[in-house]
Amino acid sequence: MRRAILISLAALFMIGPLLPAASAADKIRVVATIPDLKALTEEVGGKLVDVESLARGTQNAHELEIRPSLMLKLRRADMLVENGLELDSWAEVAVQGANNPNIVRGAPGRVDVSRGIQVLEVPSTRVDRSMGDVHPLGNPHYSLDPGMAPIITQNIADGLGRFAPEHRAEFEKNRQAFLARLDEAMARWARAMEPFKGVKVVVYHPQWIYILSRFGLSQAATLEDRPGIPASPTHLTRVIRQMKDEGIKVIIVEPWNDLKLATRVADEAGAKAVVLASMVGGVKGADSYIAAIDHNVNALVTAMK
Ligand SMILES: [Zn+2]
């Protein structure tokens, strides 16, 4: 008898840990292509969503290897949030492998957050992708510009609202609370960047034009010959000369790019190479949307001083 009671008590305790898992199953399952969009979807969706990202913050989002594990993540998704502008066109391959009608192009669960974004650096002539340029539709790296977050989160809220109309008000409440926090941070960032208006910087990959423009900095050159095309020695010589002539002191480097090369160029030009988080999670401590921009603004200010 006593033994029987013990066993049923043990059974009771075993049910405990299972309960949260059961409620997790009720959440809206979202897959985001990049961590910035995961972070923003979590801000809007709050407790109602369970979000995974296909890319990691330290990766080059242009080139993701489609492994079966990515397709597995997509197979059970209610929604796929993508960056668009061909940054994450690899997601299409994974979607086709996932065989999930919720997220095929044109389905209500497919959310392209570039809708409504004013795209910069749109090529004036047709870009031939066979030449390797990875920005054929213009610069796709708008997500870590805090000024773009209202549009991105609007697209996410619309997508979540289509899936769960009964929670629309909650998504909008979450979104407004996040945007209020972002506004406060924006005032702090604008103050920190104010003294550096008009300063020219060099970037490795052209990933920074949106945030540089936001704070009045300008991009003088890229180490890559063209977007996605490796630096050639003649091009680098030209950049070094330009940096000396124009007194450019900073080269921005992405976590996935060649820091050694950037440092060598910086040394020759009398400048500094500084690694910024090109996506949420790209560097240590940049593990939320606001934390990533905090890191980038602080690192830039320190380098420009
Ligand atoms: Zn790019």
Side-chain angles (χ1 to χ4, degrees):
M1 180 67 189
R2 196 155 154 232
R3 192 183 166 83
I5 290 171
L6 278 177
I7 288 169
S8 55
L9 269 177
L12 205 65
F13 281 118
M14 279 169 67
I15 292 167
L18 291 176
L19 286 175
S23 70
D26 298 335
K27 294 189 179 193
I28 305 168
R29 287 184 300 254
V30 184
V31 172
T33 53
I34 61 171
D36 302 12
L37 305 183
K38 171 181 192 280
L40 292 173
T41 303
E42 284 170 341
E43 297 289 357
V44 176
K47 296 191 299 289
L48 299 169
V49 295
D50 181 30
V51 194
E52 287 188 275
S53 171
L54 296 179
R56 288 190 311 277
T58 49
Q59 285 179 307
N60 175 0
H62 282 292
E63 293 174 4
L64 211 72
E65 197 192 327
I66 304 302
R67 282 166 288 113
S69 61
L70 298 188
M71 294 185 194
L72 223 54
K73 284 184 183 178
L74 287 167
R75 189 151 293 170
R76 293 174 64 244
D78 299 312
M79 188 175 300
L80 171 63
V81 179
E82 64 185 337
N83 183 88
L85 299 175
E86 292 205 4
L87 175 73
D88 44 7
S89 40
W90 39 262
E92 193 52 43
V93 182
V95 166
Q96 276 162 18
N99 193 23
N100 175 354
N102 295 336
I103 55 165
V104 294
R105 196 167 294 290
R110 185 74 171 259
V111 179
D112 180 339
V113 298
S114 70
R115 204 186 52 192
I117 297 283
Q118 177 118 41
V119 181
L120 300 178
E121 296 178 340
V122 179
S124 49
T125 54
R126 224 181 71 81
V127 172
D128 186 353
R129 273 209 80 150
S130 67
M131 290 160 71
D133 192 319
V134 294
H135 294 176
L137 303 178
N139 195 306
H141 304 287
Y142 55 84
S143 62
L144 271 189
D145 168 8
M148 296 300 185
I151 299 175
I152 300 172
T153 53
Q154 180 67 64
N155 286 328
I156 292 170
D158 288 347
L160 289 171
R162 276 197 303 273
F163 185 81
E166 69 277 20
H167 295 305
R168 272 207 180 112
E170 184 166 347
F171 298 140
E172 191 50 29
K173 201 178 100 212
N174 292 344
R175 176 174 174 263
Q176 290 303 338
F178 169 68
L179 292 179
R181 277 194 289 128
L182 191 70
D183 266 356
E184 274 178 38
M186 188 69 133
R188 185 171 78 234
W189 297 323
R191 259 198 319 276
M193 296 292 257
E194 177 68 31
F196 305 102
K197 279 222 164 98
V199 168
K200 289 180 187 171
V201 299
V202 166
V203 304
Y204 202 130
H205 179 69
Q207 188 141 7
W208 309 97
I209 193 68
Y210 292 93
I211 188 158
L212 292 175
S213 312
R214 180 72 47 197
F215 296 115
L217 274 61
S218 82
Q219 175 186 307
T222 66
L223 295 193
E224 290 177 349
D225 278 24
R226 290 215 318 282
I229 299 177
S232 68
T234 37
H235 175 68
L236 290 182
T237 310
R238 218 165 32 230
V239 172
I240 291 167
R241 195 182 319 123
Q242 183 190 0
M243 289 181 72
K244 285 179 178 163
D245 288 349
E246 300 178 9
I248 296 167
K249 294 291 173 213
V250 174
I251 301 176
I252 300 178
V253 189
E254 303 74 33
W256 50 268
N257 231 328
D258 187 349
L259 179 60
K260 248 198 200 142
L261 177 67
T263 306
R264 221 169 62 219
V265 172
D267 286 348
E268 284 198 45
K272 260 179 275 182
V274 53
V275 177
L276 300 191
S278 49
M279 298 195 284
V280 171
V283 301
K284 210 165 157 250
D287 37 41
S288 75
Y289 187 77
I290 291 180
I293 301 168
D294 259 331
H295 171 88
N296 290 348
V297 168
N298 292 338
L300 264 179
V301 165
T302 308
M304 288 188 297
K305 259 182 194 158

